[in-house]
Amino acid sequence: RTARAWALPLAVVVLGSLPLILASRSQADQVSWIKPPTPATLIGLLAMAVVAVAAAFLPHPRSGPASTASVALPLLLVPQSALVLISLVKPVYVDRYVVFAQIGAALMIGLILGVGATAAHARWPLVRPWAPIAAVCGAAVLALLPVETGLRAPASRVDDVFAPAEVVSAVSRPGDGVLFLPAARRDTALVSPARFDGLKDLALTESPLQSRTLKGEEGSPAHIRSAILKSSRIVLITDAKPASGAARRDAAKRDTLADHFVRSSDTVVRGRRVEVYEKKQPAGRPVGR
């Protein structure tokens, strides 16, 4: 009976969302910037899941056909677990994309507080149930206040697209090639095109206007490799901590630079890295040195 009750709304949701899902697949590159979950993220999610499941086994009163845990656990665990599992193949997990799942966390915390307050009142009748709840909530607000204020500071989102453009303007020379790893880092050039005057985008085959896309279309790995080998000096814009992505185009950029070029400068600025590569001479010395 419970399965049948869930099946109907689930079928309606899936069928109603299916057109949007199919249409949005062609725009998947808009989330190509997402990195694989870090070990710290996975450990945090696992710890939260363990605590939530343990809390579900606490003795607590039921009000109606569904318990608090039966609603909170799926809401908290299913969206996040599904995205993390998908991210093993293609990274799509970002915590803010599933922030609605924290409603489940709030329900589980309320459940834990309620059970604890009831137990405290049973053991010490003079202690009103609301007193320990108020104390815990107040302590939590004070403890999390520095975290909350930090999240709202400019330094909490270090992903500046303008600062690396200034660095490119300072370290590049007319005629240099430029590469973006991954391709999403091309946003630096799109917002500051004047800083890239005189540079040749080696991987790009169609501009955003020509391809009717946000960042343009890059060529095949063979095209990228050939274009890189024709250049003697290349400016690379990447992340401050580059991810070892498996995209074939990105692998072509990374491997060709490693095999045929040496890095002559490396600048990290507000979440981005700007590197300059010079082609190796037969003797192993970079061009122009």
Side-chain angles (χ1 to χ4, degrees), residues 150-244:
L151 287 173
R152 284 153 180 78
S156 69
R157 292 295 300 274
V158 182
D159 190 17
D160 191 338
V161 295
F162 295 102
E166 297 291 338
V167 177
V168 170
S169 179
V171 302
S172 63
R173 303 172 186 169
D176 284 353
V178 62
L179 289 172
F180 302 90
L181 182 64
R185 296 300 158 264
R186 190 170 278 103
D187 54 5
T188 297
L190 295 176
V191 299
S192 303
R195 302 298 182 185
F196 289 79
D197 283 347
L199 305 184
K200 182 180 180 181
D201 194 326
L202 301 176
L204 198 68
T205 55
E206 288 187 322
S207 68
L209 183 60
Q210 293 170 328
S211 62
R212 298 183 180 182
T213 61
L214 290 175
K215 298 182 175 71
E217 290 288 343
E218 293 191 342
S220 66
H223 167 85
I224 293 172
R225 177 180 173 83
S226 175
I228 293 175
L229 292 177
K230 292 177 182 177
S231 300
S232 59
R233 193 171 187 271
I234 294 174
V235 180
L236 174 70
I237 294 89
T238 184
D239 296 313
K241 296 180 179 179
S244 55

Side-chain angles (χ1 to χ4, degrees), residues 54-111:
F57 287 94
L58 293 174
H60 57 279
R62 292 168 62 101
S63 57
S67 67
T68 301
S70 67
V71 175
L73 270 182
L75 183 58
L76 175 62
L77 300 181
V78 172
Q80 302 192 82
S81 301
L83 287 184
V84 168
L85 289 175
I86 295 172
S87 294
L88 298 177
V89 179
K90 179 177 176 57
V92 291
Y93 175 79
V94 179
D95 54 0
R96 65 177 179 272
Y97 286 175
V98 285
V99 69
F100 62 87
Q102 298 307 319
I103 298 172
L107 289 173
M108 294 306 296
I109 292 171
L111 174 63

Side-chain angles (χ1 to χ4, degrees), residues 2-96:
T2 301
R4 288 196 300 270
W6 272 102
L8 179 59
L10 183 61
V12 171
V13 169
V14 171
L15 291 176
S17 304
L18 196 57
L20 176 63
I21 294 171
L22 295 176
S24 63
R25 283 178 59 84
S26 63
Q27 302 177 16
D29 282 348
Q30 293 194 43
V31 291
S32 62
W33 54 270
I34 298 177
K35 299 179 182 179
T38 63
T41 298
L42 297 177
I43 292 172
L45 291 175
L46 180 61
M48 180 178 62
V50 170
V51 172
V53 172
F57 287 94
L58 293 174
H60 57 279
R62 292 168 62 101
S63 57
S67 67
T68 301
S70 67
V71 175
L73 270 182
L75 183 58
L76 175 62
L77 300 181
V78 172
Q80 302 192 82
S81 301
L83 287 184
V84 168
L85 289 175
I86 295 172
S87 294
L88 298 177
V89 179
K90 179 177 176 57
V92 291
Y93 175 79
V94 179
D95 54 0
R96 65 177 179 272

